[in-house]
């Protein structure tokens, strides 16, 4: 078995007003990776390319070591949960299984019924009568019922209340207890990733800013704050996404440039949200 559940190399797709530009990252088998970026950064485009819902211009996509080009069997081993449920509104929950099960060779009715019970889903309820949280649980029940080894979620917690979000995170942690299973979790709600992600890939404006272990991201970058008088020209060139006020500044800094920091400047641990904000500010200033 490949050591990577998912491998992407130099993935490129151009639209009239946006370009996914040479995106590369790898998700090791048995782990959770957060795919992070603001809305419109390229997360959903990347996921649609993985599922061949869009045609890539360049690049390589491998699922468990196998190139997916002209190979549709890979879809048996992966499942996707989007931020909305794309089933007919008048279907009952029981109709969902009838519709989707024929497409999966390893569909397990017992597992599907187990998750309906676990999620307290009323089988007689119609899709249009379900809340956003219930629709998410239906999608998860489908995803977990055909023995998928790679689960891909696209903004699944958007619009969910804190309790529903916490339930989802517990489900994902339970899912990867089987070390053959892996998760790619696309979101802009970074607090969710603080709890469960092992790896992070940060995308900004179609390009990868960082990919690797989550803990190593926080070892690589920090937040620095100081007075305007402390902002020397040499330091200013090294800072990422500087925010200047009348009396002070804050910015992101690579720790390799700490030699430009004076004793008067405060150094803090960078949260993922802060990193996203500062790299976006840098992009807008170019």
């Amino acid at each position: 078995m490949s050591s990577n559940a998912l491998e992407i190399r130099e993935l490129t797709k151009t639209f009239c007003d946006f370009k996914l530009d040479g995106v590369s990252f790898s998700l090791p088998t048995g782990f959770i990776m957060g795919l992070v970026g603001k809305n419109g950064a390229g997360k959903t485009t990347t996921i649609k390319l993985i599922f061949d819902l869009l045609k890539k211009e360049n690049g390589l996509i491998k699922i468990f070591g196998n190139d997916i080009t002209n190979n549709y069997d890979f879809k048996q081993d992966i499942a996707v949960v989007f931020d909305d449920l794309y089933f007919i509104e008048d279907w009952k929950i029981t109709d969902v299984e009838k519709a989707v099960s024929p497409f999966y060779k390893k569909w397990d009715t017992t597992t599907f019924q187990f998750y309906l019970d676990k999620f307290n889903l009323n089988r007689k309820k119609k899709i249009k009568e379900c809340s956003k949280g219930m629709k998410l649980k239906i999608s998860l029940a489908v995803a977990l019922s055909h023995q998928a080894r790679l689960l891909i979620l696209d903004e699944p917690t958007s619009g969910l209340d804190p309790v529903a979000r916490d339930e989802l995170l517990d489900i994902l942690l339970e899912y990867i207890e089987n070390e053959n299973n892996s998760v790619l979790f696309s979101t802009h709600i970074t607090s969710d990733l603080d709890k469960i992600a092992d790896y992070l890939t940060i995308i900004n404006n179609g390009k990868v800013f960082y990919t690797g272990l989550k803990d190593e991201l926080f070892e690589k970058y920090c937040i620095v704050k100081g007075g305007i008088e402390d902002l020397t020209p040499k330091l200013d060139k090294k800072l990422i996404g500087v925010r200047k006020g009348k009396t002070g500044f804050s910015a992101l800094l690579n720790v390799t440039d700490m030699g430009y920091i004076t004793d008067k400047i405060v150094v803090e641990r960078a949260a993922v949200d802060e990193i996203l904000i500062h790299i976006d500010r840098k992009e807008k200033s170019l």
Side-chain angles (χ1 to χ4, degrees):
M1 182 183 296
S2 171
S3 59
N4 289 325
L6 173 65
E7 183 177 350
I8 291 177
R9 291 286 173 264
E10 297 297 325
L11 194 60
T12 302
K13 177 68 176 179
T14 304
F15 301 92
C16 59
D17 57 351
F18 175 79
K19 182 177 182 179
L20 195 73
D21 192 2
V23 165
S24 298
F25 62 86
S26 296
L27 168 57
T29 300
F31 294 95
I32 297 176
M33 172 179 279
L35 183 62
V36 190
K38 67 175 184 178
N39 291 333
K43 305 186 300 296
T44 297
T45 297
T46 299
I47 290 173
K48 287 183 176 180
L49 288 167
I50 292 171
F51 280 90
D52 206 28
L53 299 175
L54 293 172
K55 293 296 181 183
K56 68 181 187 301
E57 294 169 19
N58 294 295
L60 175 71
I61 303 172
K62 287 185 176 182
I63 304 290
F64 300 110
N66 299 309
D67 187 342
I68 70 168
T69 305
N70 300 321
N71 173 16
Y72 293 97
D73 287 342
F74 79 93
K75 292 185 178 180
Q76 295 293 324
D77 288 325
I78 60 177
V80 63
V81 175
F82 288 107
D83 64 345
D84 203 356
L85 192 61
Y86 296 100
F87 295 135
I88 294 173
E89 290 284 282
D90 282 326
W91 278 358
K92 294 179 181 177
I93 292 177
T94 51
D95 295 325
V96 172
E97 181 179 19
K98 295 175 186 177
V100 302
S101 60
F103 294 98
Y104 296 105
K105 299 175 183 178
K106 298 178 182 178
W107 182 267
D108 188 331
T109 295
T110 301
T111 300
F112 185 69
Q113 297 301 323
F114 167 80
Y115 279 110
L116 293 187
D117 290 334
K118 180 180 177 67
F119 298 153
N120 296 313
L121 293 170
N122 183 343
R123 292 163 172 77
K124 295 181 180 180
K125 183 163 282 192
K126 292 185 177 182
I127 299 298
K128 64 184 178 183
E129 298 171 336
C130 294
S131 66
K132 188 173 180 66
M134 291 173 64
K135 289 179 178 179
L136 172 63
K137 290 178 178 179
I138 296 169
S139 291
L140 281 170
V142 171
L144 297 171
S145 296
H146 62 89
Q147 299 180 45
R149 293 187 290 143
L150 173 59
L151 181 58
I152 298 178
L153 304 102
D154 186 22
E155 299 284 359
T157 58
S158 178
L160 293 183
D161 63 65
V163 173
R165 283 167 52 195
D166 196 59
E167 287 178 346
L168 170 62
L169 302 186
D170 285 342
I171 292 166
L172 298 182
L173 290 172
E174 183 179 303
Y175 174 72
I176 63 162
E177 286 180 0
N178 179 337
E179 295 181 358
N180 292 321
N181 294 339
S182 311
V183 176
L184 180 67
F185 189 126
S186 165
T187 185
H188 65 278
I189 304 175
T190 58
S191 59
D192 293 335
L193 301 176
D194 287 338
K195 300 175 184 177
I196 64 168
D198 307 290
Y199 291 81
L200 289 178
T201 294
I202 298 177
I203 296 183
N204 187 63
N205 197 27
K207 296 180 180 180
V208 172
F209 173 78
Y210 174 85
T211 185
L213 286 164
K214 179 180 67 177
D215 291 343
E216 289 184 359
L217 171 68
F218 302 128
E219 293 173 1
K220 186 174 182 179
Y221 294 98
C222 61
I223 296 294
V224 294
K225 298 177 180 179
I228 291 296
E229 68 278 6
D230 301 316
L231 191 57
T232 64
K234 288 184 178 180
L235 174 60
D236 197 15
K237 290 180 181 179
K238 298 295 181 179
L239 297 177
I240 301 169
V242 183
R243 173 183 281 147
K244 298 178 183 178
K246 291 183 179 179
T247 60
F249 75 92
S250 66
L252 187 68
L253 182 69
N254 192 308
V255 297
T256 59
D257 295 319
M258 290 292 287
Y260 295 92
I261 297 298
T262 66
D263 293 339
K264 295 181 180 180
I265 294 176
V266 176
V267 179
E268 299 177 350
R269 183 180 186 273
V272 178
D273 278 348
E274 291 175 308
I275 293 172
L276 293 177
I277 290 168
H278 284 290
I279 63 177
D280 184 56
R281 288 179 65 87
K282 178 186 177 183
E283 189 75 25
K284 288 177 178 177
S285 68
L286 296 178

